[in-house]
Amino acid sequence: MKVLGIDIGGTKIRMGIVDSNGQVVEDHKIPTESPLYPYLENKIIQFLKEHTHVQAIGIGTRGMVDAENGVITFESGTLPGWQGTEVKALLEKATGLYVEVNNDANCAGLAEARLGSARGYRRTVCLTIGTGLGGGFVIDGKIMNGTHGGAGEVGHMILYPGGHICSCGRPGCSEQYVSGTALRRSIAEMNIVDENNKLITPNRMFELALEGHSDALAITKKFTNDLAIVISSIQAVLDMDCVIIGGGVSESAESWWSFLLTALEPLLLKPLEVKKAKFGNEAGMLGAALLVLTDEKDGVFKK
C-alpha cells in the first residue's frame, strides 16, 4: 500500500508518497500560503487526482495537535488561521480517505524510532533543533501526545526564569537558548562578523569555536551546556533509552558534539545513548506517513 505523508512548515510544505516498507517513492515541495487550510485541501485534491493509488493521508505540522480528533490546538502565529482548524474531519470529508494529524517533531520522532537511529529502542526522545526546539516522545512505537497535544513541547520548558520572551508569550523557554534563532541572536550580540563585516552563520560560528575563537567558543559552550540541561531534565522524568538529535542545527553537529557529550557527562542520572538523527529534512514527512501505517513491515492500515 501507499500513503501520502505531508510535512507543513512555515515556508514550505513537503508532500511525499511512502510505501509500506517506509520508502519514499515520490517527493514534492510547494510553498506555504495563507489561509492555509483551503490552499492545503486544494493541493491535496490535485495531488490525489494524479496519484489515485494513495490509500490514506498523514500530516505533520507545526504547533500543538489534538491527535485523536485531528485539530490544531495551538500555533504561535507562523501559520495565521491554522489554530483551531479541524484538519482531520475536513480532509476526510473532502478526500474520502483516512487522515491522521500530529505535531511535526512527533512525526520526526516516529520516523527515527521505527526506521532511523532509534530503531530497536523502546523509549525514545527525539529533539529537533532548528528555528525553535521541538521534541517527540515515542514509547513502545507510539507517540506520547498528552491531554492537549502538548507532550514533547520541550522547547517550552522554562530554562531561565525571567529570561528572553518566547513566541508563546512566556519568559525563559528553552528554545530561546537552544535553537538556531538563539544562536543567531548570540552571534549578533557578540558581533561576530566575516571578512565582509556580515554576521556569520551558526555553522561558521561552530567552526570558529573549534579554531579557538573566544567568543564563538563561549557561545558554543553555552549552547551545548543548555542543551545538556534540557536532556538531563527530560531523563529525570522519562528515563528514556536514547535521545536522537535532528533538525537544521544538527547538520553541523560534528563541530559541537564533543562539547555536548562533555557537558552531559556530569548531569546524567543513568547511562543514556545520544545519537544523531538518521533522517534529515524528510523526517517529518516520512513520520507523517507512518502515522497511518501501524507496522512498517506489513503495512497494516491504521483505522
Side-chain angles (χ1 to χ4, degrees):
M1 69 174 295
K2 292 183 174 63
V3 301
L4 174 59
I6 300 173
D7 181 24
I8 300 173
T11 59
K12 66 178 180 295
I13 297 172
R14 192 165 184 172
M15 306 172 68
I17 294 179
V18 179
D19 66 19
S20 55
N21 294 314
Q23 297 297 311
V24 179
V25 294
E26 288 196 44
D27 189 1
H28 302 270
K29 298 183 186 70
I30 58 175
T32 304
E33 294 186 8
S34 296
L36 180 55
Y37 181 76
Y39 170 75
L40 178 66
E41 179 184 297
N42 181 56
K43 291 296 183 181
I44 290 174
I45 289 175
Q46 289 181 13
F47 191 90
L48 293 176
K49 287 179 180 178
E50 300 170 4
H51 304 84
T52 57
H53 54 290
V54 170
Q55 296 173 264
I57 301 170
I59 297 176
T61 176
R62 293 173 58 92
M64 297 183 189
V65 180
D66 172 355
E68 184 175 348
N69 297 299
V71 179
I72 312 303
T73 59
F74 174 78
E75 205 288 314
S76 61
T78 306
L79 304 172
W82 191 230
Q83 182 171 314
T85 303
E86 298 178 354
V87 182
K88 176 180 172 68
L90 290 169
L91 266 184
E92 288 187 340
K93 181 178 180 180
T95 66
L97 298 178
Y98 178 70
V99 177
E100 279 212 27
V101 188
N102 214 304
N103 168 265
D104 53 1
N106 285 343
C107 290
L110 186 62
E112 292 294 338
R114 287 198 185 174
L115 303 172
S117 295
R119 187 168 186 170
Y121 294 93
R122 291 185 57 195
R123 305 169 187 85
T124 301
V125 169
C126 180
L127 301 179
T128 55
I129 310 174
T131 303
L133 174 63
F137 301 164
V138 181
I139 311 298
D140 291 329
K142 296 182 179 180
I143 294 171
M144 180 189 296
N145 287 302
T147 302
H148 305 98
E153 290 288 339
V154 298
H156 298 294
M157 294 166 52
I158 301 297
L159 185 60
Y160 289 101
H164 294 290
I165 300 297
C166 183
S167 61
C168 73
R170 302 180 307 159
C173 286
S174 58
E175 74 172 18
Q176 293 303 307
Y177 303 89
V178 182
S179 65
T181 301
L183 289 168
R184 284 187 286 272
R185 184 185 64 238
S186 296
I187 289 168
E189 290 173 349
M190 293 284 197
N191 194 34
I192 307 177
V193 297
D194 61 17
E195 61 276 7
N196 297 315
N197 205 37
K198 293 184 178 180
L199 293 171
I200 62 172
T201 64
N203 285 2
R204 179 57 182 149
M205 188 273 299
F206 288 130
E207 293 173 352
L208 289 177
L210 288 179
E211 295 170 11
H213 187 289
S214 60
D215 288 341
L217 185 60
I219 294 173
T220 299
K221 286 186 175 181
K222 177 68 163 54
F223 166 78
T224 51
N225 286 344
D226 287 343
L227 176 55
I229 292 171
V230 169
I231 292 172
S232 174
S233 297
I234 298 170
Q235 186 193 44
V237 176
L238 291 181
D239 190 20
M240 58 282 191
D241 298 317
C242 70
V243 169
I244 306 300
I245 298 178
V249 177
S250 72
E251 294 173 4
S252 59
E254 66 279 357
S255 298
W256 52 263
W257 200 257
S258 62
F259 293 100
L260 173 62
L261 297 183
T262 298
L264 263 176
E265 185 176 0
L267 297 181
L268 293 178
L269 296 166
K270 299 288 184 181
L272 178 67
E273 290 282 343
V274 183
K275 305 175 72 175
K276 300 169 192 174
K278 175 180 178 179
F279 301 111
N281 291 329
E282 73 176 11
M285 182 266 290
L286 177 57
L290 292 176
L291 291 173
V292 291
L293 293 171
T294 60
D295 192 309
E296 71 272 19
K297 294 179 181 178
D298 60 19
V300 175
F301 181 38
K302 183 176 181 181
K303 190 169 183 178

